[in-house]
Amino acid sequence: LLQAKYKERGTVLAEDQLAQMSKQLDMFKTNLEEFASKHKQEIRKNPEFRVQFQDMCATIGVDPLASGKGFWSEMLGVGDFYYELGVQIIEVCLALKHRNGGLITLEELHQQVLKGRGKFAQDVSQDDLLRAIKKLKVLGNGFGIIPVGGTYLIQSVPAELNMDHTVVLQLAEKKGYVTVSEIRSSLKWETERAKQVLEHLLKEGMAWLDTQAPEEPQYWLPALFTELYSQEITPEEAKEAIP
Amino acid sequence: MDRFAWTSGLLELGETLVVQQRGVRLCDGEEKVKFDSGVLLLSTHRLIWRDQKNHECCIAIPLSQIVFIEEQAAGVGKSAKIVVHLHPASSNKEPGPFQSSKYSYIKLSFKEHGQIEFYRRLSEEITQRRWESMPTGQPIQVNKDPQAGRIRAVGIVGIERKLEEKRKETDKNISEAFEDLSKLMEKAKEMVELSKSIANKIKEKQGDITEDETIRFKSYLLSMGIANPVTRETHGSGTHYHMQLAKQLAGILQTPLEERGGIMSLTEVYCLVNRARGLELLSPEDLVNACKMLESLKLPLRLRVFDSGVMVIELQSHNEEEMVASALDTVSEKGSLTADEFAKLVGMSVLLAKERLLLAEKMGHLCRDDSVEGLRFYPNLFLTQS
């Protein structure tokens, strides 16, 4: 009987709390509306402010980008900003995939996205891109973020890249290419292990092989070619990007 | 960088624009400064730099200050640069962003290329010294406008004051925004705590909360952006919103799916739907949650997840296994095909083409040849000719 009583009390408490939450939610909505009316522009125009905003949300356990139906998105307009950015990122990655195998530096992605957005669009920071990409992961297209030498490589294809692959990518980042000897001396791996990783990258189209290099074959990453930066996306590539 | 002066960026009478280039960063000698993204303009008289984000931030240096210029080639990860060596600043120079500098040169970094043309034009202007033969008038004066009731500043000092005021205003706005944001976050935090408590109760007493109440709770979580700790098998993370969305999607996607052979990747759907909407876009999670409900709502589309993790939307009438049979025919005809080749032949995206070939392989119809030249599929003769 006592147990039943406790059980009942517990249920009532939960219902009470639900009613309380409903009320608090309404109040919060009003507060947010007030905040938006004063500071919505700040979020739109100021990338640093967006970073602060996102960090604060993360600290308290709130994801302002989870849903377009969320208050944050509806009232502050943060949603549309990032979701649209997501579309632009997907388009750039699709257009350039045949060149770089689905790996692109954050810098190049940034430049191409800015170009696509045009002169009068809002400014977009690299932090903005990273947040948009993190959200895109859930679509199952293989979006991933790989830290390399102070920046990031963005993966946009469902190719499996494990720790071994990542570490070789990081090694290649310095010069844009890597050789088996370098892997052996820097990472202390056996030739077989190095070759396996390099072959996987070749197969995925993320690395190109230069057999005419002076000492030994060099494995280049098109994603890291500086000369390709700012190269325009051709009309054929753009067509590939739009379903 | 102390040779630069604030300017309105307006060309003076007798001054002509020669060339301009976007995406230029200024460096004070070897050190980076705040001016990292701007349009660099070369006129017959000056070198002008305007911030791309804040058009009111505009600085200039007379070409007469330049001693000589050098090119610095691009490197891996580094843009090409022009190094501009300067005479010391004159004592009657107009106010600028820097009072002093330990360098007697600046670097122009061309992040979006254009340095070759710019260097050529700049060399020409420095050689020709057209500013000596083309005396310029005063910058265009801006007058008081009594009707508007606003006082416009006159001359460079006025412009500088306006910029300073604007900077102070911006700073004030930001700190006020931060203060308000902190207060808002405190309230949001309370909501998060409350929701955790409710979630715990629901977990402990499964079945004592009504279905309706659980759905209500989930919609509260959705509004706040709080991750859902309570999942129900029937609806997953779905809410009424997602149910409605699922129905909408079924309507919107029918035709596009038919046009694309009955199947589209989720990223394609995301782009298609959001581009059509223009405003009030869907988040990736919204899309996934809605799609998860398609089957249970008996809609004519369904979500399918391949082994690779790739997610697609298919028409219910679409049968990927049947498509595999026709894929086998295509591959047999050609002897062997890679995903790229197959995609081009059939008119599909490479992503989906690959998935179809992988499925065919899984079903035993195709064999793979995995080499550094790529992944190639052959009809599985082991099966047919054993």
Side-chain angles (χ1 to χ4, degrees):
Chain A
L1 193 62
L2 205 61
Q3 275 223 350
K5 244 209 206 148
Y6 278 150
K7 218 176 171 207
E8 201 189 68
R9 177 110 46 86
T11 313
V12 167
L13 279 174
E15 278 170 2
D16 275 349
Q17 284 192 312
L18 215 53
Q20 184 189 0
M21 187 164 186
S22 174
K23 272 207 212 94
Q24 277 191 296
L25 211 68
D26 282 338
M27 255 176 30
F28 183 79
K29 195 171 172 195
T30 314
N31 290 329
L32 188 54
E33 271 168 353
E34 211 187 296
F35 180 84
S37 65
K38 290 201 321 201
H39 303 297
K40 190 168 174 173
Q41 286 306 311
E42 212 54 61
I43 295 209
R44 245 176 40 85
K45 290 191 312 186
N46 190 335
E48 286 83 36
F49 191 70
R50 279 199 291 276
V51 173
Q52 290 297 331
F53 167 72
Q54 295 273 16
D55 283 347
M56 281 181 159
C57 286
T59 310
I60 62 169
V62 153
D63 181 2
L65 300 182
S67 170
K69 199 75 177 135
F71 286 160
W72 308 97
S73 178
E74 285 188 326
M75 276 174 248
L76 292 180
V78 265
D80 279 4
F81 174 78
Y82 286 98
Y83 307 147
E84 189 189 2
L85 195 51
V87 173
Q88 290 162 348
I89 291 169
I90 291 172
E91 288 175 350
V92 167
C93 288
L94 270 179
L96 296 177
K97 191 178 77 164
H98 74 98
R99 280 192 215 170
N100 57 32
L103 269 189
I104 186 173
T105 58
L106 186 57
E107 278 79 21
E108 188 180 359
L109 180 61
H110 192 201
Q111 279 191 5
Q112 297 284 8
V113 165
L114 283 176
K115 265 210 212 113
R117 284 167 74 90
K119 282 197 290 190
F120 301 107
Q122 252 168 289
D123 197 20
V124 152
S125 70
Q126 289 188 355
D127 183 84
D128 292 329
L129 289 175
L130 288 174
R131 290 189 199 272
I133 292 167
K134 285 188 188 136
K135 285 286 128 194
L136 290 178
K137 280 189 188 187
V138 77
L139 295 176
N141 222 59
F143 269 96
I145 300 175
I146 303 169
V148 292
T151 178
Y152 298 94
L153 279 176
I154 308 300
Q155 177 184 355
S156 59
V157 291
E160 210 215 275
L161 292 182
N162 58 32
M163 290 279 298
D164 273 7
H165 301 122
T166 312
V167 130
V168 167
L169 288 175
Q170 288 165 346
L171 197 57
E173 190 266 343
K174 301 194 192 88
K175 293 187 286 185
Y177 71 89
V178 75
T179 60
V180 173
S181 317
E182 277 168 8
I183 296 178
R184 282 170 54 99
S185 61
S186 302
L187 303 175
K188 312 276 184 266
W189 287 1
E190 276 131 39
T191 307
E192 195 48 47
R193 186 176 173 188
K195 281 212 164 135
Q196 262 196 16
V197 167
L198 292 171
E199 275 179 17
H200 182 79
L201 294 176
L202 280 179
K203 280 186 217 169
E204 291 295 340
M206 294 175 178
W208 294 355
L209 180 57
D210 178 9
T211 48
Q212 295 182 343
E215 281 144 21
E216 66 176 297
Q218 292 171 344
Y219 294 78
W220 287 81
L221 297 188
L224 300 173
F225 289 174
T226 320
E227 300 84 72
L228 287 181
Y229 283 5
S230 281
Q231 270 202 7
E232 300 294 332
I233 294 183
T234 65
E236 292 77 41
E237 286 169 333
K239 257 203 300 191
E240 179 65 36
I242 302 183
Chain B
M1 281 294 298
D2 60 330
R3 279 62 153 181
F4 273 95
W6 293 111
T7 177
S8 64
L10 296 169
L11 293 178
E12 297 164 14
L13 296 168
E15 182 183 14
T16 325
L17 183 63
V18 174
V19 70
Q20 68 181 43
Q21 175 60 45
R22 273 176 57 104
V24 178
R25 162 191 274 148
L26 298 181
C27 297
D28 181 20
E30 297 306 315
E31 291 168 12
K32 290 194 179 150
V33 290
K34 271 187 316 191
F35 303 109
D36 69 10
S37 195
V39 184
L40 187 65
L41 300 100
L42 172 66
S43 78
T44 43
H45 292 62
R46 300 179 290 168
L47 202 56
I48 304 171
W49 185 94
R50 175 164 49 232
D51 193 321
Q52 273 167 229
K53 296 172 217 157
N54 174 13
H55 291 273
E56 304 240 1
C57 173
C58 193
I59 52 178
I61 191 169
L63 293 183
S64 52
Q65 288 278 176
I66 299 179
V67 178
F68 74 97
I69 59 176
E70 297 178 280
E71 279 180 291
Q72 200 173 64
V76 175
K78 290 194 176 56
S79 316
K81 298 179 177 57
I82 297 179
V83 184
V84 184
H85 296 267
L86 302 164
H87 289 295
S90 55
S91 47
N92 63 348
K93 179 184 89 61
E94 304 284 1
F98 289 82
Q99 297 297 70
S100 65
S101 166
K102 60 184 194 211
Y103 298 97
S104 64
Y105 63 95
I106 55 167
K107 288 193 186 182
L108 314 170
S109 181
F110 289 79
K111 299 191 294 186
E112 289 179 32
H113 297 259
Q115 73 282 357
I116 299 174
E117 179 69 9
F118 208 94
Y119 182 83
R120 188 172 73 79
R121 301 302 207 110
L122 185 55
S123 305
E124 256 174 39
E125 292 305 319
I126 298 174
T127 316
Q128 290 178 6
R129 303 180 77 89
R130 286 198 271 177
W131 65 84
E132 285 172 353
S133 49
M134 289 158 73
T136 57
Q138 288 296 29
I140 299 162
Q141 296 280 18
V142 183
N143 301 316
K144 262 195 203 187
D145 187 345
Q147 251 119 9
R150 281 188 287 154
I151 298 174
R152 305 267 201 91
V154 167
I156 293 181
V157 172
I159 291 170
E160 214 221 349
R161 201 184 303 138
K162 250 196 357 179
L163 280 169
E164 184 59 38
E165 273 169 22
K166 185 149 201 227
R167 270 196 299 275
K168 283 214 194 96
E169 184 70 32
T170 311
D171 283 343
K172 187 164 87 78
N173 281 345
I174 294 186
S175 35
E176 203 189 300
F178 273 125
E179 238 184 77
D180 288 347
L181 185 64
S182 304
K183 289 196 203 119
L184 196 69
M185 288 297 170
E186 280 303 315
K187 300 204 176 80
K189 192 167 175 195
E190 284 170 23
M191 307 276 301
V192 174
E193 294 306 320
L194 185 54
S195 76
K196 277 191 199 150
S197 169
I198 297 177
N200 277 333
K201 292 204 168 61
I202 292 181
K203 251 188 248 166
E204 285 165 22
K205 301 178 202 303
Q206 288 274 23
D208 276 36
I209 305 288
T210 67
E211 182 95 354
D212 260 352
E213 280 166 346
T214 312
I215 292 181
R216 250 174 67 207
F217 180 55
K218 278 195 223 161
S219 75
Y220 296 162
L221 295 178
L222 189 74
S223 298
M224 284 301 298
I226 300 173
N228 187 356
V230 182
T231 48
R232 282 266 166 125
E233 286 71 36
T234 44
H235 298 297
S237 307
T239 63
H240 281 305
Y241 168 62
H242 293 119
M243 260 168 51
Q244 281 177 334
L245 196 49
K247 293 181 189 153
Q248 272 178 31
L249 286 173
I252 301 170
L253 296 174
Q254 186 74 25
T255 312
L257 277 170
E258 284 166 5
E259 288 171 355
R260 288 164 181 73
I263 186 170
M264 280 173 76
S265 74
L266 213 53
T267 30
E268 278 179 275
V269 173
Y270 176 77
C271 291
L272 192 93
V273 171
N274 274 342
R275 258 193 251 103
R277 284 185 152 223
L279 286 180
E280 291 182 14
L281 306 181
L282 299 184
S283 76
E285 277 164 60
D286 286 336
L287 183 60
V288 172
N289 288 332
C291 289
K292 283 185 181 161
M293 300 179 87
L294 288 171
E295 200 123 29
S296 62
L297 291 174
K298 310 243 186 296
L299 291 164
L301 321 173
R302 61 166 170 253
L303 176 69
R304 179 178 182 154
V305 184
F306 287 114
D307 292 341
S308 60
V310 170
M311 295 165 86
V312 298
I313 300 294
E314 294 178 324
L315 286 171
Q316 283 283 5
S317 56
H318 178 89
N319 189 331
E320 187 68 8
E321 280 71 10
E322 273 171 18
M323 304 307 284
V324 158
S326 94
L328 175 58
D329 285 340
T330 314
V331 174
S332 306
E333 242 180 68
K334 299 286 173 181
S336 73
L337 287 174
T338 63
D340 274 327
E341 291 163 356
F342 181 62
K344 274 209 190 72
L345 263 178
V346 175
M348 281 178 88
S349 74
V350 178
L351 184 78
L352 294 180
K354 189 168 181 193
E355 289 303 326
R356 187 166 293 173
L357 294 175
L358 286 172
L359 184 61
E361 182 193 28
K362 190 173 172 188
M363 288 166 65
H365 297 303
L366 295 178
C367 272
R368 69 166 58 192
D369 173 22
D370 211 350
S371 70
V372 290
E373 282 160 13
L375 181 56
R376 187 166 279 279
F377 290 90
Y378 291 79
N380 184 2
L381 300 175
F382 294 113
L383 198 64
T384 54
Q385 290 179 8
S386 50

